[in-house]
Amino acid sequence: MEGARIRRVAFVGNYLPRQCGIATFTTDLCEAVAAAASELTCFAVPINDRTDGYAYPPRVRFEIPEEDLTAYRRAAEFLNINDVDVVCLQHEYGIFGGPAGSHVLTLVRELRMPVVTTLHTILREPDAEQRAVLEELAALSDRVVVMTQRGKEFLQSIYGVPESKIDLIPHGIPDVPFVDPNFYKDRFGVEGKIVLLTFGLLSRNKGIEYVIEALPAVLERHPHVVYIVLGATHPHVRQVEGESYRLFLQRRVRELGIEEHVIFHNRFVSLEELVEFIGAADIYLTPYLNREQITSGTLAYTVGCGKAVISTPYWHAEELLADGRGILVPFRDADAIAKAINRLLDNEAERHAIRKRAYLYGRQMIWPVVAQRYLESFKRARATGTTRTRVAIPALNQRPGDLPMLKLDHLKRLTDDTGILQHATYSVPNYNEGYTTDDNARALIVAVLVEELGGKTATEAPELATRYLAFLWHAFNPETGRFRNFLDYNRNWLEAVGSEDSHARALWGLGYVVGRSRRTGLWKLAGRLFEEALPAALRFANPRAWAFTILGIQEYLRRFYGDRTAQQARKKLADRLFKLYQKHRRDDWRWFEDRLTYANARLPQALMMAGKWTDRSEWVEAGLEALRWLVHVQLDEQGYFAPIGNDGFYVQGQQRPYFDQQPIEANATVSACLEAYRITNDAFWYREAQRAFDWFLGRNQLGLPLYDPSTGGCYDGLQPNGVNENQGAESTLAFLLSLLEMKLAEAYLPLQQKGVEPKTARSLQPAIPAGSVEV
């Protein structure tokens, strides 16, 4: 391959000592390639899922915080200036930041060298975001590596990747001799025993409980069997639910009275230890629950080591265990597992024949062979790919403005043990005004989005969210089914029932917790409170209360999409909004009422969102029409965002007031325009969201910034003679909500350019994504 000489290769993916399958694979691949080609310089660029990173080995040259979008750009610059010849990227949706891991596209777009991407997950039924990410990543990559024939077929038939671009290279495995299992058993104190083994990071999709259920029937015929469950709980699972799955398994073992026959080895072991554990096994089991597992490193290791394998028929197992290299049993079937184990233990000749066929097949998967295959792929990419040229830095008017850094200082200054205080005098909290449910609901949404965004500030979010949710819990009066709103500094409620708006905003905040939080205790409490508080909202007369309730329901349905009560409430409230719009709409006044008052953009946002997810196109069209009219009304002569002033509001047929302009109007417009952008794929809406956000930064009629970067707070409004210098909760939260939504949308932007629509529901369980490699 003329001109395909390679000197430097960078491996991008997770890396040991991070505990996950991608980290193990990337480390092994990097070391295998370095050993196969001594003239190469190989180094790694890992993705970090925690702020303090890991104690990486010297091969690691640059680290990327998972949720820090700018870090992906910096990584691309680092790779470009270091004359890297090929980037070998390990792709799995869950390891990169952004919707469906879309942050990785920012990295790949800016690279100037060929890219060879290994796909560890290839979904048969991707959602729109997952499809868009994979299609663009494949288009940007010079070669795409898959590990199974089925994966190759999916790439061609589902994602439209040409066969000529795909390299089929199996999952690598260590090169170990074909040994008698008894050779290693004494090292683990199981000499004289028949050893069954399952290994890998624990999570609920592993199906280990079905092997445990099968053991009594096995022990009746083979009383010397012992089952070893090797591996620590997956770190992401442990962070959310602790060791609940392991404790569930251990409890079931005790209930069955088989404690002497089950060993839990709760540790992430080294490769050397793993080889010894596998060597000691007579039978290996992978009882996974999900059919859509395209690659399993654990299965590859055990087949390559010459083990007799019993597995459920997930995709990789069907392919790897074909032609008598293992036994497949149905999903979630303990009886079938017991019969398969007894069959192999009763028939030693069959068991050893399976072992031999597996071991011989595995010789094509050992790392030295796999490394050579990757080197060939690198050369093809280098020889046939076109080296990317440096992309010119766009002019200011050709790119969105840089977003400020997220700073929570003033939010925390306003927050005490009770919740967030309502007002401030300048930047000093004003105790005299106490607290409101309104502000604590908004603050709760901020805390949820901070954690979703990730980064250094994410560690502070759970404590803040707990405090704000506790306030809402205290504010709810179960006797009336309503939230109270005003609480003085001495913790006395100043009213029996709060406003309709405050109740609806509380539902809005609770919906965010239910739909987006990974904290089980938070979303369960929020869900309970949401259900108790929702009925009252159906009796409200205020259309803004309808809108905020719809927004809360929409978030709630991310997790509980089948809740018919919530669905019916959404439909009823949206229908009211639509009829209100039909009643007041005129050619020169396309609005829901005869006046524009406060939180205006929330009305069309709620209507078009409800329409999108109930297939009511007339609602979507009405919402978009009203929002387009509103953004036109909110433009001044210079093209700046100029929200309706609170000094009298804007009554139809009368002069509109320009002051006092409020931050909540900018926030509502940012949110509504981003929602319109997600629904329509029309870049006009993204520009309008950017225009409204820029109001905070000084692109307004007075040229004065509302955001104070020295405190992290936001001034309370834009008045004719300047800004209101008080930095209260409502204003600060409006800015933070806008900033967080813009930051989250920034990662979404390239997907939307490909026509991606938002998800119907989001999986928030901490399980490892279907189709991922697990070691």
Side-chain angles (χ1 to χ4, degrees):
M1 297 180 184
E2 194 66 31
R5 183 166 178 262
I6 301 173
R7 295 162 299 174
R8 295 170 68 83
V9 179
F11 294 82
V12 179
N14 297 348
Y15 211 82
L16 293 176
R18 179 172 174 176
Q19 297 182 7
C20 76
I22 303 294
T24 302
F25 182 92
T26 309
T27 305
D28 290 345
L29 176 60
C30 182
E31 294 300 325
V33 170
S38 58
E39 73 280 5
L40 279 186
T41 297
C42 297
F43 65 88
V45 177
I47 314 300
N48 288 337
D49 62 341
R50 63 187 197 189
T51 55
D52 55 343
Y54 297 89
Y56 289 118
R59 271 203 204 281
V60 171
R61 294 283 309 281
F62 193 97
E63 301 174 40
I64 302 176
E66 179 180 323
E67 296 291 349
D68 186 352
L69 187 64
T70 59
Y72 290 83
R73 297 192 183 102
R74 292 197 300 268
E77 293 173 0
F78 174 83
L79 295 170
N80 288 336
I81 67 174
N82 276 276
D83 296 323
V84 172
D85 296 305
V86 174
V87 166
C88 182
L89 174 70
Q90 308 307 309
H91 179 261
E92 152 59 42
Y93 292 106
I95 71 173
F96 302 107
S102 60
H103 281 8
V104 70
L105 300 177
T106 298
L107 167 70
V108 180
R109 287 190 199 105
E110 299 189 17
L111 293 176
R112 300 202 316 272
M113 71 291 295
V115 176
V116 175
T117 298
T118 302
L119 300 176
H120 293 262
T121 295
I122 307 171
L123 300 175
R124 181 171 61 181
E125 298 178 353
D127 64 30
E129 291 173 350
Q130 292 165 338
R131 175 188 291 276
V133 168
L134 190 56
E135 287 179 351
E136 182 171 349
L137 183 58
L140 291 170
S141 300
D142 298 274
R143 307 295 303 173
V144 180
V145 176
V146 296
M147 302 184 197
T148 63
Q149 181 62 37
R150 189 187 295 265
K152 182 178 180 180
E153 293 168 359
F154 282 2
L155 272 189
Q156 294 175 257
S157 61
I158 299 172
Y159 300 92
V161 180
E163 183 179 11
S164 59
K165 197 174 191 176
I166 304 172
D167 292 324
L168 175 54
I169 306 176
H171 192 294
I173 62 172
D175 187 7
V176 298
F178 188 75
V179 297
D180 188 321
N182 294 312
F183 182 80
Y184 288 109
K185 289 182 179 180
D186 60 332
R187 303 193 185 190
F188 307 112
V190 291
E191 58 271 20
K193 303 286 187 180
I194 299 170
V195 176
L196 313 180
L197 173 68
T198 295
F199 78 85
L201 295 170
L202 261 65
S203 60
R204 294 186 184 274
N205 62 345
K206 292 299 179 73
I208 294 170
E209 60 270 30
Y210 292 97
V211 180
I212 290 172
E213 297 287 346
L215 285 179
V218 173
L219 292 169
E220 287 181 8
R221 292 169 60 173
H222 301 279
H224 299 298
V225 162
V226 62
Y227 179 39
I228 298 177
V229 180
L230 171 64
T233 298
H234 194 287
H236 291 174
V237 175
R238 188 168 60 245
Q239 182 181 12
V240 175
E241 60 179 58
E243 294 287 351
S244 61
Y245 180 56
R246 185 186 302 276
L247 294 173
F248 158 71
L249 296 175
Q250 292 173 345
R251 183 169 60 251
R252 188 58 185 141
V253 167
R254 289 192 293 270
E255 290 170 352
L256 294 172
I258 54 176
E259 298 99 314
E260 295 181 2
H261 300 275
V262 181
I263 299 171
F264 288 91
H265 193 69
N266 184 10
R267 194 159 62 84
F268 186 84
V269 299
S270 66
L271 177 61
E272 292 74 16
E273 293 175 288
L274 178 59
V275 168
E276 292 179 354
F277 270 105
I278 296 173
D282 294 284
I283 297 175
Y284 179 74
L285 297 112
T286 56
Y288 298 166
L289 305 182
N290 190 349
R291 182 178 182 80
E292 297 187 355
Q293 180 84 17
I294 200 74
T295 305
S296 170
T298 61
L299 183 66
Y301 275 32
T302 50
V303 167
C305 289
K307 295 289 108 177
V309 178
I310 298 172
S311 175
T312 49
Y314 55 91
W315 291 336
H316 196 197
E318 286 182 323
E319 191 166 317
L320 203 53
L321 301 183
D323 301 325
R325 293 187 292 270
I327 294 178
L328 298 177
V329 296
F331 292 103
R332 303 173 188 269
D333 192 335
D335 290 339
I337 292 173
K339 290 177 182 178
I341 294 172
N342 283 329
R343 168 184 160 186
L344 291 183
L345 295 182
D346 291 341
N347 192 334
E348 187 172 353
E350 181 185 8
R351 188 170 80 248
H352 288 303
I354 290 174
R355 289 189 59 208
K356 185 174 181 180
R357 285 191 289 267
Y359 185 79
L360 292 175
Y361 184 82
R363 295 312 86 207
Q364 63 180 313
M365 300 161 55
I366 61 175
W367 277 118
V369 174
V370 168
Q372 287 296 333
R373 299 277 298 277
Y374 268 92
L375 285 169
E376 294 168 5
S377 183
F378 297 163
K379 291 178 180 177
R380 279 192 289 270
R382 186 73 175 167
T384 61
T386 302
T387 302
R388 297 171 175 86
T389 57
R390 182 183 296 274
V391 178
I393 299 174
L396 184 61
N397 65 352
Q398 294 177 311
R399 63 178 180 182
D402 293 331
L403 297 172
M405 291 183 60
L406 180 64
K407 186 174 184 177
L408 301 182
D409 294 25
H410 194 56
L411 175 70
K412 292 185 291 184
R413 188 179 298 117
L414 289 170
T415 301
D416 63 13
D417 290 341
T418 299
I420 189 168
L421 288 152
Q422 181 180 188
H423 289 300
T425 304
Y426 299 107
S427 61
V428 179
N430 184 345
Y431 296 159
N432 294 329
E433 301 296 335
Y435 317 82
T436 68
T437 293
D438 273 324
D439 290 330
N440 279 274
R442 295 184 184 104
L444 182 57
I445 297 173
V446 166
V448 170
L449 293 183
V450 166
E451 186 165 25
E452 182 174 320
L453 182 66
K456 294 181 180 179
T457 55
T459 57
E460 302 175 89
E463 182 179 350
L464 291 171
T466 300
R467 199 163 301 177
Y468 304 138
L469 180 57
F471 186 97
L472 296 188
W473 176 256
H474 181 53
F476 185 69
N477 184 348
E479 294 180 3
T480 63
R482 292 288 299 275
F483 287 95
R484 293 161 288 208
N485 191 24
F486 293 102
L487 181 74
D488 70 18
Y489 190 67
N490 295 316
R491 299 185 179 179
N492 299 308
W493 288 108
L494 303 180
E495 67 209 337
V497 175
S499 66
E500 292 184 359
D501 275 4
S502 65
H503 188 100
R505 286 195 182 99
L507 288 169
W508 182 37
L510 293 170
Y512 263 83
V513 179
V514 175
R516 299 187 186 229
S517 178
R518 291 176 177 265
R519 309 282 169 176
T520 304
L522 294 184
W523 68 255
K524 284 187 174 181
L525 175 61
R528 174 180 166 184
L529 191 52
F530 187 95
E531 291 177 8
E532 292 185 36
L534 180 60
L538 297 178
R539 299 190 294 271
F540 291 165
N542 186 340
R544 280 157 187 77
W546 304 343
F548 280 112
T549 300
I550 291 170
L551 298 181
I553 291 172
Q554 197 65 37
E555 293 293 329
Y556 172 87
L557 290 174
R558 285 176 179 266
R559 186 180 296 274
F560 298 124
Y561 192 75
D563 189 326
R564 289 182 56 80
T565 299
Q567 290 177 355
Q568 290 167 358
R570 175 180 61 182
K571 182 179 179 181
K572 183 176 294 186
L573 294 174
D575 189 54
R576 290 181 192 172
L577 273 179
F578 181 61
K579 289 178 179 176
L580 197 65
Y581 184 71
Q582 289 180 308
K583 177 181 178 181
H584 289 92
R585 181 197 180 280
R586 303 290 183 271
D587 288 343
D588 61 345
W589 186 265
R590 301 186 180 189
W591 197 241
F592 300 81
E593 302 168 298
D594 64 355
R595 66 195 61 209
L596 290 167
T597 56
Y598 63 94
N600 292 304
R602 296 298 183 184
L603 301 182
Q605 179 185 2
L607 183 58
M608 64 188 175
M609 184 182 288
K612 173 63 179 178
W613 301 114
T614 55
D615 292 324
R616 295 291 296 271
S617 60
E618 68 274 24
W619 292 358
V620 175
E621 292 168 4
L624 290 171
E625 180 183 72
L627 183 59
R628 188 176 289 271
W629 179 80
L630 177 65
V631 298
H632 175 74
V633 170
Q634 293 180 145
L635 280 181
D636 76 350
E637 295 177 355
Q638 296 176 290
Y640 291 128
F641 173 74
I644 303 303
N646 274 14
D647 186 13
F649 297 128
Y650 181 18
V651 180
Q652 185 177 5
Q654 299 181 15
Q655 191 72 23
R656 65 153 289 183
Y658 278 94
F659 299 99
D660 181 10
Q661 296 179 16
Q662 294 291 300
I664 63 166
E665 298 307 314
N667 174 225
T669 304
V670 167
S671 297
C673 289
L674 289 177
E675 188 61 39
Y677 174 56
R678 284 187 285 267
I679 289 174
T680 66
N681 191 28
D682 185 346
F684 165 82
W685 294 114
Y686 189 87
R687 292 193 298 270
E688 291 304 315
Q690 183 74 53
R691 189 198 306 270
F693 181 79
D694 287 347
W695 178 87
F696 289 105
L697 306 182
R699 298 184 182 99
N700 52 52
Q701 288 173 296
L702 299 186
L704 296 175
L706 278 292
Y707 172 57
D708 181 358
S710 67
T711 65
C714 179
Y715 296 125
D716 278 353
L718 196 65
Q719 299 170 331
N721 58 346
V723 297
N724 179 338
E725 294 186 34
N726 295 329
Q727 298 180 11
E730 179 180 275
S731 303
T732 296
L733 293 166
F735 171 76
L736 290 174
L737 283 170
S738 301
L739 177 61
L740 287 162
E741 290 182 84
M742 290 296 292
K743 282 183 175 288
L744 289 167
E746 188 178 39
Y748 188 83
L749 177 61
L751 306 186
Q752 196 63 20
Q753 290 171 344
K754 298 176 71 62
V756 178
E757 297 175 351
K759 297 179 184 179
T760 298
R762 175 181 298 184
S763 173
L764 291 169
Q765 300 305 313
I768 300 167
S772 62
V773 56
E774 301 178 38
V775 176

